[in-house]
Amino acid sequence: MFRNQYDTDVTTWSPAGRLFQVEYAMEAVKQGSAAVGLRSKTHAVLAAVNKAASDLASHQRKLFRADQHVGVAIAGLTADGRVLSRFLRNECINHSFVYESPLPVARLVVQLADKAQVCTQRSWKRPYGVGLLVAGLDETGAHLYYNCPSGNYFEYQAFAIGSRSQAAKTFLERRFEAYDGYSREELIKDALFAIKETLQGEKLTSQLCTVAIVGEGEAFHIIDQQTIQDYIDAMELSTGGPEEEAAAEAPPSAEAQGGGEGASSEPAPMDI
Amino acid sequence: MFRNQYDTDVTTWSPAGRLFQVEYAMEAVKQGSAAVGLRSKTHAVLAAVNKAASDLASHQRKLFRADQHVGVAIAGLTADGRVLSRFLRNECINHSFVYESPLPVARLVVQLADKAQVCTQRSWKRPYGVGLLVAGLDETGAHLYYNCPSGNYFEYQAFAIGSRSQAAKTFLERRFEAYDGYSREELIKDALFAIKETLQGEKLTSQLCTVAIVGEGEAFHIIDQQTIQDYIDAMELSTGGPEEEAAAEAPPSAEAQGGGEGASSEPAPMDI
Amino acid sequence: MFRNQYDTDVTTWSPAGRLFQVEYAMEAVKQGSAAVGLRSKTHAVLAAVNKAASDLASHQRKLFRADQHVGVAIAGLTADGRVLSRFLRNECINHSFVYESPLPVARLVVQLADKAQVCTQRSWKRPYGVGLLVAGLDETGAHLYYNCPSGNYFEYQAFAIGSRSQAAKTFLERRFEAYDGYSREELIKDALFAIKETLQGEKLTSQLCTVAIVGEGEAFHIIDQQTIQDYIDAMELSTGGPEEEAAAEAPPSAEAQGGGEGASSEPAPMDI
Amino acid sequence: MFRNQYDTDVTTWSPAGRLFQVEYAMEAVKQGSAAVGLRSKTHAVLAAVNKAASDLASHQRKLFRADQHVGVAIAGLTADGRVLSRFLRNECINHSFVYESPLPVARLVVQLADKAQVCTQRSWKRPYGVGLLVAGLDETGAHLYYNCPSGNYFEYQAFAIGSRSQAAKTFLERRFEAYDGYSREELIKDALFAIKETLQGEKLTSQLCTVAIVGEGEAFHIIDQQTIQDYIDAMELSTGGPEEEAAAEAPPSAEAQGGGEGASSEPAPMDI
Amino acid sequence: MFRNQYDTDVTTWSPAGRLFQVEYAMEAVKQGSAAVGLRSKTHAVLAAVNKAASDLASHQRKLFRADQHVGVAIAGLTADGRVLSRFLRNECINHSFVYESPLPVARLVVQLADKAQVCTQRSWKRPYGVGLLVAGLDETGAHLYYNCPSGNYFEYQAFAIGSRSQAAKTFLERRFEAYDGYSREELIKDALFAIKETLQGEKLTSQLCTVAIVGEGEAFHIIDQQTIQDYIDAMELSTGGPEEEAAAEAPPSAEAQGGGEGASSEPAPMDI
Amino acid sequence: MFRNQYDTDVTTWSPAGRLFQVEYAMEAVKQGSAAVGLRSKTHAVLAAVNKAASDLASHQRKLFRADQHVGVAIAGLTADGRVLSRFLRNECINHSFVYESPLPVARLVVQLADKAQVCTQRSWKRPYGVGLLVAGLDETGAHLYYNCPSGNYFEYQAFAIGSRSQAAKTFLERRFEAYDGYSREELIKDALFAIKETLQGEKLTSQLCTVAIVGEGEAFHIIDQQTIQDYIDAMELSTGGPEEEAAAEAPPSAEAQGGGEGASSEPAPMDI
Amino acid sequence: MFRNQYDTDVTTWSPAGRLFQVEYAMEAVKQGSAAVGLRSKTHAVLAAVNKAASDLASHQRKLFRADQHVGVAIAGLTADGRVLSRFLRNECINHSFVYESPLPVARLVVQLADKAQVCTQRSWKRPYGVGLLVAGLDETGAHLYYNCPSGNYFEYQAFAIGSRSQAAKTFLERRFEAYDGYSREELIKDALFAIKETLQGEKLTSQLCTVAIVGEGEAFHIIDQQTIQDYIDAMELSTGGPEEEAAAEAPPSAEAQGGGEGASSEPAPMDI
């Protein structure tokens, strides 16, 4: 294992101008289960692999709603992610209360990044060990950001984080240029394809992943499991991968046809 | 013993993105005496092995009531567990006072996890060395959670923690899918079977374990020792293990027939 | 001497999930002079070996009254014990003032344990180096607890701590099952026998030990030295040990016959 | 790698009177993507290389407006730069509010330097890992400063920071003496030439850089991408480099002819 | 020199349950110049060896009055002793002011011990490096206590601390049983004999020691030097040591005959 | 490089009674660019070498006005010097405001030294890495002080600090005894000669140095560059060095003849 | 160089009960330039060697007035000494203001010692590196004390501290017994002889030393240089040293004959 004397304190610079503790915290993100995000001009979709700690457990939540118009997917230390999700929720609520309008996604992302930066400059803290994909919709359209433990953030058309996310990124890089014009159904399907890439041959089922969406006329919500299974089944009918199945129809689920009525999956209209 | 320079401070990341101190604290849970939990749609049962420090001592309490509708079983450092139990009790009381309704179990679990997370990010603290099985009933039914020192929590149908809990988990994994429909008596019996698995051949007696239950119409309470002994005696009549004794009747104890009158064991009706 | 890198800080976990500093503090208890405690349903007796620092010194106090209904015996660092005794005294006084009733023993014990737990989780403190036997009487009868540096506590029928306490524990384990029905005189005698066990052949005299009692109609007080010497003399008439001297009469001291009139030893009636 | 015992603490002097942690932080600046600044008597221009983290990401912002009359370009840790940019923005706002006039650039720069100096003298902090080029206009004309992690600042006619900035500095050193009399268009062109020097043969496009300007009658703003592309195209018509293209005309873009109408690029008049 | 890794921090336990820093501080007491104390039922006497830092200096004070009824002799770090003496003085004054009665000696000693204990449990402090002999008179008679750096205290009939105090302790152990009935003159003489034992053959003179007394009808005060010299001269007339000189008369000094009139030595009547 | 275990903490004494961190900080002063100061009975002059960080930068300020009657020249860490200069300015302003008279130079120097001393006795700080020459005029005439990182200060007739200051000191030592009677022009010329000594053969120009003066009827101000060039030119006419050019006339600049009219150089009358 | 693991922290005891950091700080006193003090019943004289940092500097002040009736001479870290001198001045002023009488010298010395003691028991401080000779006059006559870094203080008839003070001490030890009856002139002369002893053959001149006096009818003040030179000249007329020159007359200076009229040297009458 690489060793040096500059890597045990978050406030110590290496001679080459690096903060090793921050870099190590970013490794924790790579060990979390994978999450992907992608967006069109009007919709943003997040998807995460469900990894249960044992057969007896339900999986841990990886997708969190921050407000009607924004939500996050996390990879890394779940406990840190939960704390940051609540921070986002509070920021959104406070902004709504004061300004009577939703907090623009870009501003929310900056506030999140600032909170993370502080942890990289105080000797009695550690950097958060979690990465967050933030998907949201505001007056300037749909957005996707990645906030990392260093306090940096990046805007993306599509991105993947967590373990084996490289395969998903490779898939997304081949296709992201067309995403701006995608329908919500197309975004969901590509999210599922990207998730599948991270499974290394394991069969994708709706138990294995969670998908959330936010978009015009549709508040951030988790899509119900049956609808996801319908998408997966439709994807498998079309054999050759996404490229070949462009002509395949949208899955005939209720959701795809206008609104699933399930408690957790209906595209809740935004109260704006 | 494995040694490295990144494992003596809770705020130091290893180059591979791990927090060793948090992982070591989770080892403390494995050294506590075993505890199991399981739930149906309407009831949740916790059971713990009683391990007295010496013949002269009564055993330490491993099961704590947090509120009428929720309680915990702990494994690991008892002193840490006691402190966290009191935290849970206060959270419940404060919520009841303000909202005049019981605190939903899921929210209680998050607050507990957040308290644990803080201890993993401050240099002058250590992570709690205790795991908690939280069993409770709220409007969405019975729940079972496991909160661990890292600040993570998981929802389970059934789970076991503490020393030699692997045997109990193996037992539970074979049977948990049917638990949703179990009666309270069936849950108690499976809890006892699971506890027995952790004893490594030692004979199960009612002195050796404590069992608590919460469910519809029944506040969280410790089941009295005689009732437990009756269950154990009934279990042993049916020789081959739980699979074979499905037809065996419920133990003929007063409790099983509607309510033990003992001070500590009667299924106290909830004051809601 | 066993060495490792995880044992110099109270907030550092070892890879095996142990807190060495807490374990080392518990060693300090083993080095203190011995103390024993035992209880019937109605009385609890504490006894401690008097070990003077030199011939010139009076011995240090090892028994402290916390309130009319409760007192402690300590083993380990006397200075830590004194600080904790005062804490107990304050808790009792404050409770009496607010609730106009004595603090239940079990609650007092928990508050003491919590105070100790805090010292095991703050980097700028050390665990207390003292064990306390807490003997008290409340509405639920007589109680005996052992509070140790880890923040744990245990309820006992009878227990011994401090140097060479193993011999006393062996003695008590042979006899404790009958203690619930013992008279106060029988408890005192067994306390003296247990103390004698820790002396390794040294002759027991009333100078060598202090005995305190609390029970129904009798506030916590130190028994006067002459009364103890009478008990000892009576014990020695019966030669073969406690088993054989069951028929021996109670010592003919004034105290045994209803109340010693000495300033410090009379069984002071409780002001309840 | 050079090692010594004086370089892990920001408050430790080396025997030679150096503060290594401050010097290491300045290395972080050299690793950021390049930024250049230059000024005439009336205008100041900042330009930065756009380096996206991946094909999927948009690039991170390197140019920030602090107030109508001043802005910064950063190189190094983006998160630190963002925090300092906000500090600048707050200082400007507070000054305007109290004095009803813009904060002179020189005073702003000193306040920024003082904030950085504090981080070099407190043991629980680390120096900021970012360098800032501050460009602004006040009553004494246009100014360009460089603030570095040590808490030092320098006034420049033209300067470049970040990775491969040496080539840009060499370019600027040959030409800076004439900059006082440059027009805004000439400044922008030399900024682009300087940026090109840092690209090591990579073709300069408007996607690869961002340019901002502040000057008389023109608030600090980012110049729109099309305008920049027009400048770049014009630069390439003139083949031999800046020296030979002195006669080449200004690019025929709307901006160059008096004001681009694009939302983000129009030289917004200052509200003074 | 004995070395181990557990002895540089006051809050670190050794594996054997020892606090080395506290033990080391107690070594400082052994290095101070010797002090002795002894008491009858009605009087307590303190004596200290005067050790001047050089021929040019007067010796440092080792005896301090805390109140009319109590004073101390110190051995170890004089500066620490002075600070603790003032603490005692303040405690006495505050008690007198509030309760209009002198602070009982035993309570004063406990407050002193508590102040010392705190220094053994805080990482940013060190234990005091001084031992104190506390001599006082209250309603329960004359008392002598020894307070040591560990926060412990012991009641003594007679005791000696400081360098070469072992010889004095040996002397005192042979004679202390008779001290309860001693007259004030006899106590002073035995104090001088004990001091002489610590001098290792050096001739005892009144310049070499200071003696203080407190007793019934006599406030704590330093006995004047001439009176002490008279005692010494009388002691030497009787050649064989204290045993043989029992018949020798009290020294014919004014003090011994009822009250020295010197400003500092007259047995000042207590203002009670 | 010399190494020892006592030199990494400002609060650690070496066995020889030295504070190495303070000594190392004083090395930082030797690395700054040179500054000289000298004074007659009525005037004090400061001069500093201008060292620009690069050709593109203006040089950093080394001379600061604290008040109308006092100013400083710094050598070492510029950021530290700036912070201390502001401290001086505040002290002067506050004093003027309260007392309506200028702060005597000697008192200002003590306050500066005290601020530096504090940094040598607190573990979480570092000593300032800057030396200051303080030149001022008060009721007792002109003064020159040197304040160093240790918290010491010295009054001088003439002094030089910074890199290669030894040559300047040698020059000044040969001539300082006559300085009390010097005219302001003579002081300026000797300041320039001393600065020249530190240049090691580099040709002295007015770009290379800054000179400030304070004296009777003349507030502290920087002398304008043209005037300095005139002095330099005059110095070079007289070839052999200062000794030979005593007869050379004062430079025929406006300033020398009664007052330069330049905005920054006129000997501003003091508002007293 | 002597090394051990117990000497880098002021709060760490060595196994032998020593505080090395305090001892090291006392070494700093030995490195300061020498100072001597001596007193009769009515006068106290302080003298210090003047050691200028360079030919260009005036020497640093080593003698400070604290109040009309008391002053100090320092050896060691001048900056620490200055801080402590101001502390003394403040204590004197506050006492005078409250009690309308001068602060007794002994009490002032204790307050100074307490301030020093605190620095030996807090981990974030260091002991002061300065020794102080305190000379004063109060109702009990003239006094001379030595306060050292450990928080100790000693009363002396005569003493010397600082580099090469051993020779002065040897001189003083031969003569101090007669000092009580000395006249002020005799005290000054012996102070000068003692200072001369520390010069190791260097010729004593009035430039090389400063002398201060306080006594009956004479406030603490520095004796003017000419008067000192007169004393020195007189001393040298008498060749063989003080022993032989007892018959030599007092120097015929104005001061010696009743009062020098110089601003700084006249024996200012005390305003009491």
Side-chain angles (χ1 to χ4, degrees), chain G residues 72-155:
Chain G
V72 296
I74 65 172
L77 290 200
T78 316
D80 284 9
R82 192 184 59 244
V83 168
L84 289 176
S85 302
R86 185 170 38 247
F87 170 77
L88 292 175
R89 213 148 49 228
N90 289 340
E91 294 298 300
C92 287
I93 288 170
N94 290 337
H95 187 274
S96 298
F97 182 80
V98 174
Y99 299 101
E100 297 186 345
S101 73
L103 178 55
V105 181
R107 282 190 50 193
L108 180 65
V109 163
V110 171
Q111 284 165 247
L112 179 61
D114 287 348
K115 191 173 169 63
Q117 191 270 347
V118 165
C119 292
T120 71
Q121 208 185 14
R122 298 293 183 280
S123 61
W124 66 89
K125 287 216 164 185
R126 60 166 173 78
Y128 287 106
V130 72
L132 296 96
L133 290 173
V134 183
L137 181 82
D138 56 26
E139 296 187 346
T140 65
H143 295 284
L144 178 71
Y145 289 92
Y146 169 51
N147 279 61
C148 73
S150 65
N152 273 357
Y153 64 90
F154 306 88
E155 180 154 23

Side-chain angles (χ1 to χ4, degrees), chain B residues 1-4 7-9 21 24-25 27-28 31 53-61 77-80 82-83 86 119 123-129, chain C residues 3-6 10-19 110 113-114 117 120-124 150-159 169 172-173 176:
Chain B
M1 198 184 295
F2 176 57
R3 296 214 185 289
N4 67 61
D7 66 350
T8 55
D9 189 349
Q21 275 294 302
Y24 295 172
E27 286 296 313
Q31 291 172 18
S54 86
D55 286 357
L56 297 164
S58 63
H59 56 84
Q60 284 188 292
R61 287 184 62 189
L77 291 199
T78 315
D80 285 9
R82 191 183 58 244
V83 168
R86 186 170 37 248
C119 291
S123 61
W124 67 89
K125 287 218 166 185
R126 60 166 174 79
Y128 287 105
Chain C
R3 296 213 185 290
N4 67 62
Q5 63 178 318
Y6 305 101
V10 74
T11 64
T12 305
W13 289 95
S14 83
R18 296 168 65 188
L19 290 171
V110 171
D114 288 348
Q117 191 270 349
T120 71
Q121 208 185 16
R122 299 294 184 279
S123 61
W124 67 89
S150 65
N152 274 357
Y153 64 91
F154 306 88
E155 182 155 21
Y156 284 96
Q157 187 83 42
F159 199 52
K169 277 191 276 194
L172 294 168
E173 279 164 11
F176 78 96

Side-chain angles (χ1 to χ4, degrees), chain B residues 146-165:
Chain B
Y146 169 51
N147 280 62
C148 73
S150 65
N152 272 359
Y153 64 91
F154 306 88
E155 182 156 21
Y156 284 96
Q157 187 82 42
F159 199 52
I161 58 177
S163 70
R164 298 185 294 212
S165 59

